[in-house]
Amino acid sequence: MTNFHYIGKEASRPDGPDKAAGKALYIQDLQRPGMLYGKIKFSDFPHARIKHIDTSKAERLTGVRAVITAFNTPEIRLGFMRDNFALKKDKVRQYRDEIVAVAAIDPEIAAEATELIKVEYEPLPGLFSPHEAMKEGAPLVHETDPQGNSRTDNLVPLQFHHESGDLEAGKRAAKHVVEGTFTTPMVQQCCMGTAGCIAELDMNSNLTIWAKTQIPFLAQRDFNRALSDMGLAGKNARVIVPTLGGSFGSGLDTHCYEYIAILLAFRTGYPVKIVYTRAEEFANLSPRQSSTTKIIQGCDQNGKLTFRHVEVLQDNGAYTSWGATYPSVMMMPATSLYRISNVYFNAQLVYTNNTYCQAMRGYGNPEFTWALESNMDKLAEEARIDPFDFRMLNSNKPNETTPMGLKISTCGLKECLETVAQKLNWKKRHKKGKHRGKGLASLIHVGGGARIYRSDASGLILKLDDFGNVNVYHGGVEMGQGLHSVLTLAVAEALGVSSEKVLINPTDTGTCPWDVGTHASRGAFMACNAAILAANKLRDKIFGLAEVFYPQEVEKNLKKLKKKNPNYKPPDFDVIKAARRENFELQDGFIFIKDGPQESWLRLELARLLRAIHFRNQGQMLTTEVFYDPPNELPDFKKGFGNISATYAFGTQGAEVEVDTETGEVKILKMVAAHDVGKVLNPQALKGQMYGALAQGIGYAFYEELLSQQGKILNPNFRDYKIPRVYEMDFPIELEFIESNDRFGPFGAKGVAEPGLVPTAPAIANAIYDAIGVRIHDLPITPDKVLAALKKLK
Amino acid sequence: MKKEISFTLNGSEVSVTIDEHLCLIDVLRGPLGQTGTNEGCREGECGACTVIVDGRAVNSCLYPALEVEGKNVTTIEGLQEPNQKLSIIQQAFVDHGAIQCGFCTPGMIMSAKALLDTNQNPTEDEIRDVLLGNLCRCTGYVQIVEAVKQAVVQLKNKK
Amino acid sequence: MKRFNYYKPRSLDEAWELKEKIPDALFIAGGTDILVGIKNGELYPPSLISLRSIPELNSIKINGGAYIGALTTISDLIHHPALYDIYPVLVEAAKRLGSVQIRNVATIGGNLCNCSPCADMALPLLVLDAKVRLQTAKKSREIPIDEFFKGPGETNLTPNEILTGIILESPRKSAKAIFLKKGRVKMDLATASLAALLEMEGEKCLKARLAAGSAAPVPLRLFKVEAQLEGATITDKLVAEAQQLAAESVSPITDIRATKEYRRQIVSVLVKRALKNILGWSQA
């Protein structure tokens, strides 16, 4: 299919008008009859034993309907390592630990009630860095593991390890070797719509929860387990996803506040809503994982990479969530960005009393690529090779398998590099302007799903109705990225109907088939591949039934036409003979015979056909379902091997900067981003994803940092946690999309949600180095770091 | 203490009795049921709550409800035209991919509207200046600025 | 407790009466600082007395000099037909305060009374030798604005006093001024800021006024730098000395926004850039 009706053409999002009119309903807007408001009391210490909780005053406050603690509710554990608790009982391990929760008739009363709660603590010494926590004799953040066995240290029992080739031989073959240690901070997702949910149990004790989640089905599993913990084994959680005010990874795990809402709903018998304030969002929701990466790379005298040695240390915080699995993603660029044999990768995670971290767009890739691409420039300089030439020399190629076992199908990396170099005028980069520089950096990311669970599948149902509408049920989550837009277009394209007839239903575990979650840039890849399969199945059904019903309906058309126009002479065409399933086509909602006469009476509205099939004895309604499971593997992360994705996205970004050497401020003069996207499905949505990701990459590069001191977040607000505003994106940005037309991708497309912010920070850092000879190793690149580095140079 | 306030909302007179300490956003989203205006920070930083009071864009999260007495308030709900038609600015946002999650969108549109109601020929810098108080995490702002520019052209053509 | 009573007196007398009755009440203007403080639990007044409905506080009179009512919004300052021509530095600073939404309700009086070390409106008023009028029911006094700021969040106001207006002298034609502000991003509290004014006669400096923000407990006049420049012929060497003196005059702190060393450095750079800009010299 190369002449697409919808794919690759400009189309605005179907949910755009409602959002523009202020009609979209976010969790903040939803109400249920009798709904109560929940509010949580968080810990006053980063590490302490809970000695006593006095809730008496809160309970007596007018309007309060319930006050719960770990002492009057069943224990609910959460997290994939089961090391977290919905409400804390014996001790608190971080400032944001949930100790008490209140349900009241309005949010203000609930908040007042939490202020009336008195907790007595016995403070314990706190650990605020992995180094502190790894010291001999350091206090334990968790004294026992989830099974009750004693722990002896603060190391998180997760292994991420990879060794391939012969590292020693690689080192010997290296003429030039460069090492460096790079750090990245905690960064907040900063969704404009804060986290929240409404939990409601019916009188059969089945739960409905409207949740700000990206994993409705995994959440269902987690909540079903919680119901079981509450003595409601066998009861079911139905997870409904409302319009989301962004997510960026924050919805990839279940959160304590969700279980607390469920417990409050159970206790009170009423729906309970909990919505985080912005301060709670910053301080009490899990941010992007921080990292420390030590990297050593070597190349031979020609510039070919000979080995790569990587060690990652992560501050796991008090409990374990997806931040702990960033190394599983880091392994991908570590083993597979640029052609490299002889790779060593190891990651260590340590419990501390800092906040625990979660997924955020890129999920370890921006963190690691920061280190890798900075180090690549250092190595290029050491080897006296131009950074662009160095990367071209080592570039990945199509149809190769990497040390991790990633099977690269299409690979547009060389084209991306060339595009960026050309648009940045790379050859002439030292011609004008002092304190000006150019830099670039590339990326590899999963582009065809990511099997990090046993299943990476995605189901889809298409239900046709009597009006030719295609009702779509899909478990993927629209969080603003445009999943529902591309799904609409993919169904329309693959089925052959108008996109206006494609109606996407809300994501609801009660109605949609299973999907593992919208993460790893897999949304469009999964949904659209499933849509194509389902549409083809449906076309088969339609065309099979059309053999009987098409002739009889077009006969009616012809009769009508002859009545109106008695002189009409139909062409010499045997409709019944032509009416074979392989001869039909469906386009724009009309069925016709391929290569048949162009007469209007031979074009039958799909809706007409469907009604004919429906309204008769033994009538039928047409629905199909598929469960699409992509051709990828669940890697063994202890061995660091497995083809995690069906295809891989590549890209390169370049920056031109100017440094004010008196103030340390860095101004971006121009950015270029060339991405191998497989195929552009929806131009404005793709551009939106890229611009948005670039903005996050720029924030990551220059000023985003959650400041934490002794476990306390110091800047839980937009006044002191800065994200880009309209002026910070006021410079020329050139986007170029390389279409490598991947055979695994829907219409050739790869997943593109995350790549846009992966190489941004190192591209900028490399440009700064080019401008002033200063290399910053620790994000964010703030003006005072630049000044301090300049001073050191002198 | 509860007090009654009366003001004009999207062209209609409204009256509500409210607690004195509330801000305009609470009145709009609560008793008046206008949930199009969103609360993003409650500190005047994100602009998601932007509405127009007597022709000026303000953060409704920091606008004391009692101060709106007798004033003319326009919210996102007031822009839409009869028969399910979007206003020019709203349609421009839809056309240009300026909307992703949509949470910042009403505030962005109201900021743009306050500008275009008084300035039919804004420079790009003037457009950026009025959007400075509106945060967006999804779009990177590029298509938002393009949408406002398109709205400028279309509003001029309308005249 | 985040509840409070909200009063809207229609006259200054009514306002003072209310304050007399409720000593713990706070006067509120635009509210962009106070309401955030209440939300964050830093302030917990039982009542707020809004000054927004008192007409005499919200006017600008140009009469050679200018009288600016304390409740003049930042936007009204910017859009006033005459103010920019007479005191461009005041309007330039106003444009850098917050966002349009903030400027439409925030007031010049409120900005001064909030008394932040980086108050954007303080710096131009300091270099313009402004006076502030402070009134109670019984007494009215005017003091130079540099005496108004006592410490972070602490002004010269006595408990029932209201800052009612700002008085500006008629400006000298030969005076040129500039306002510079640095932040982590464009819309920010100043990491460091500077207003500077020079009145030159040829190459000789007749009058110099400099004020730095985020560089001391209060918006700070750099008296020593002014004294060094006044009466002198300004040269590159003198500018460098002025920079050094400025760096020594300020006492910034390290907080989550910046370190004191960095602030000191920026003040020094801003002094150079401000002076060169006013004098029309190249910044190279």
Side-chain angles (χ1 to χ4, degrees), chain A residues 583-651:
Chain A
N583 290 341
F584 284 115
E585 179 54 274
L586 170 57
Q587 234 175 64
D588 297 319
F590 282 90
I591 296 172
F592 53 92
I593 306 284
K594 276 190 282 203
D595 304 320
Q598 298 292 309
E599 314 299 288
S600 66
W601 59 275
L602 283 168
R603 286 170 58 79
L604 180 65
E605 249 188 298
L606 175 61
R608 277 263 309 274
L609 184 75
L610 295 172
R611 288 196 292 272
I613 293 168
H614 176 196
F615 292 110
R616 59 180 177 108
N617 284 351
Q618 268 87 62
Q620 283 183 53
M621 295 297 291
L622 301 187
T623 299
T624 57
E625 61 96 26
V626 291
F627 194 63
Y628 170 66
D629 200 1
N632 53 25
E633 301 167 347
L634 176 59
D636 178 341
F637 291 113
K638 292 184 186 157
K639 296 208 175 90
F641 195 85
N643 184 31
I644 193 175
S645 190
T647 181
Y648 298 89
F650 293 89

Side-chain angles (χ1 to χ4, degrees), chain A residues 74-76 222-235:
Chain A
E75 179 180 281
I76 295 180
D222 285 351
F223 296 144
N224 279 355
R225 197 189 228 152
L227 290 174
S228 181
D229 292 339
M230 287 158 65
L232 299 172
K235 297 299 175 183

Side-chain angles (χ1 to χ4, degrees), chain A residues 464-470 501 605-608 610-611 621:
Chain A
L464 291 172
D465 67 18
D466 297 324
F467 312 98
N469 294 318
V470 188
K501 295 299 249 178
E605 249 188 298
L606 175 61
R608 277 263 309 274
L610 295 172
R611 288 196 292 272
M621 295 297 291

Side-chain angles (χ1 to χ4, degrees), chain A residues 108-109 112 115 660 662-663 665 703 707 714-715 719-720 722 725 727-728 783-784 787, chain C residues 1-3 36 182-189 256-257 259 262 265-266 269 272-273:
Chain A
E108 284 192 322
I109 294 173
E112 266 177 66
E115 283 161 31
D660 181 334
E662 290 185 317
T663 64
E665 288 165 308
Y703 30 80
L707 298 165
L714 298 178
N715 56 340
R719 191 176 60 242
D720 288 314
K722 293 301 192 190
R725 290 180 184 266
Y727 270 114
E728 281 69 51
D784 67 327
L787 277 190
Chain C
M1 268 278 274
K2 295 183 181 150
R3 294 173 199 271
V36 177
K182 287 288 182 198
R184 292 160 291 185
V185 292
K186 180 155 186 188
M187 176 175 155
D188 200 359
L189 301 171
I256 56 176
R257 295 172 198 127
T259 62
Y262 184 73
Q265 162 73 6
I266 296 305
V269 172
K272 176 175 76 158
R273 292 185 181 180

Side-chain angles (χ1 to χ4, degrees), chain A residues 6-75:
Chain A
Y6 292 108
I7 300 300
K9 307 269 186 333
E10 279 300 350
S12 55
R13 357 176 7 128
D15 58 354
D18 270 2
K19 287 174 174 173
K23 290 194 153 69
L25 294 177
Y26 302 90
I27 192 71
Q28 283 79 0
D29 304 323
L30 295 180
Q31 307 243 32
R32 296 289 301 163
M35 188 173 82
L36 300 172
Y37 296 84
K39 191 83 177 165
I40 298 169
K41 174 158 177 65
F42 299 96
S43 170
D44 299 311
F45 287 90
H47 197 199
R49 293 209 187 285
I50 298 173
K51 289 181 70 191
H52 183 63
I53 306 174
D54 180 0
T55 59
S56 52
K57 283 209 176 112
E59 288 170 48
R60 289 198 296 268
L61 186 66
T62 309
V64 169
R65 294 286 179 265
V67 181
I68 58 171
T69 68
F71 293 95
N72 62 7
T73 54
E75 179 180 281

